[in-house]
């Protein structure tokens, strides 16, 4: 995770409760991109889709990473130990 990742740049300063709607919206965008393959009927439309495919796959991979990290963070902040540490600070 670094600032070269567009999604990381979007989520890095957000509260954990704001991540789910953002990640869901990005997942819908990725799905919509993949769904474009169904609309491609001509060779040029297929070629256009294939040009975008690499970028979509990278977005998909990045999104999967961020979803996994967000799930892990969510589990950690739900623990009683986290609450005790937070209160101590």
């Amino acid at each position: 995770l670094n600032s070269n990742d567009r999604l990381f740049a979007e989520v890095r300063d957000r509260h954990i409760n704001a991540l789910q709607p953002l990640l869901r919206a990005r997942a819908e965008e990725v799905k919509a991109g993949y769904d474009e393959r169904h609309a491609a009927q001509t060779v040029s439309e297929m070629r256009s889709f294939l040009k975008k495919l690499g970028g979509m796959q990278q977005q998909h991979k990045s999104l999967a990473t961020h979803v996994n990290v967000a799930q892990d963070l969510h589990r950690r902040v739900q623990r009683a130990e986290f609450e005790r540490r937070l209160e101590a600070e």
Side-chain angles (χ1 to χ4, degrees):
L1 301 176
N2 61 48
S3 295
N4 292 332
D5 180 346
R6 285 182 22 221
L7 186 54
F8 179 68
E10 279 187 81
V11 303
R12 65 188 263 170
D13 295 323
R14 291 186 186 246
H15 189 276
I16 191 166
N17 292 336
L19 292 179
Q20 183 180 0
L22 176 70
L23 294 175
R24 182 182 315 243
R26 295 303 169 264
E28 289 172 4
E29 290 171 7
V30 169
K31 182 182 180 311
Y34 282 132
D35 288 346
E36 287 180 16
R37 74 182 182 278
H38 299 297
Q41 295 186 3
T42 67
V43 173
S44 65
E45 289 171 342
M46 288 180 213
R47 184 181 308 123
S48 176
F49 172 77
L50 290 174
K51 285 181 182 178
K52 297 177 194 176
L53 185 59
M56 286 186 293
Q57 289 173 328
Q58 182 59 37
Q59 287 176 328
H60 188 168
K61 182 179 176 183
S62 174
L63 180 62
T65 298
H66 289 284
V67 167
N68 289 333
V69 169
Q71 285 177 330
D72 185 53
L73 284 172
H74 183 72
R75 278 191 298 269
R76 290 173 188 258
V77 301
Q78 296 300 314
R79 294 182 185 157
E81 177 185 333
F82 180 80
E83 283 293 322
R84 286 192 301 272
R85 285 185 176 182
L86 188 60
E87 288 176 15
E89 289 182 16

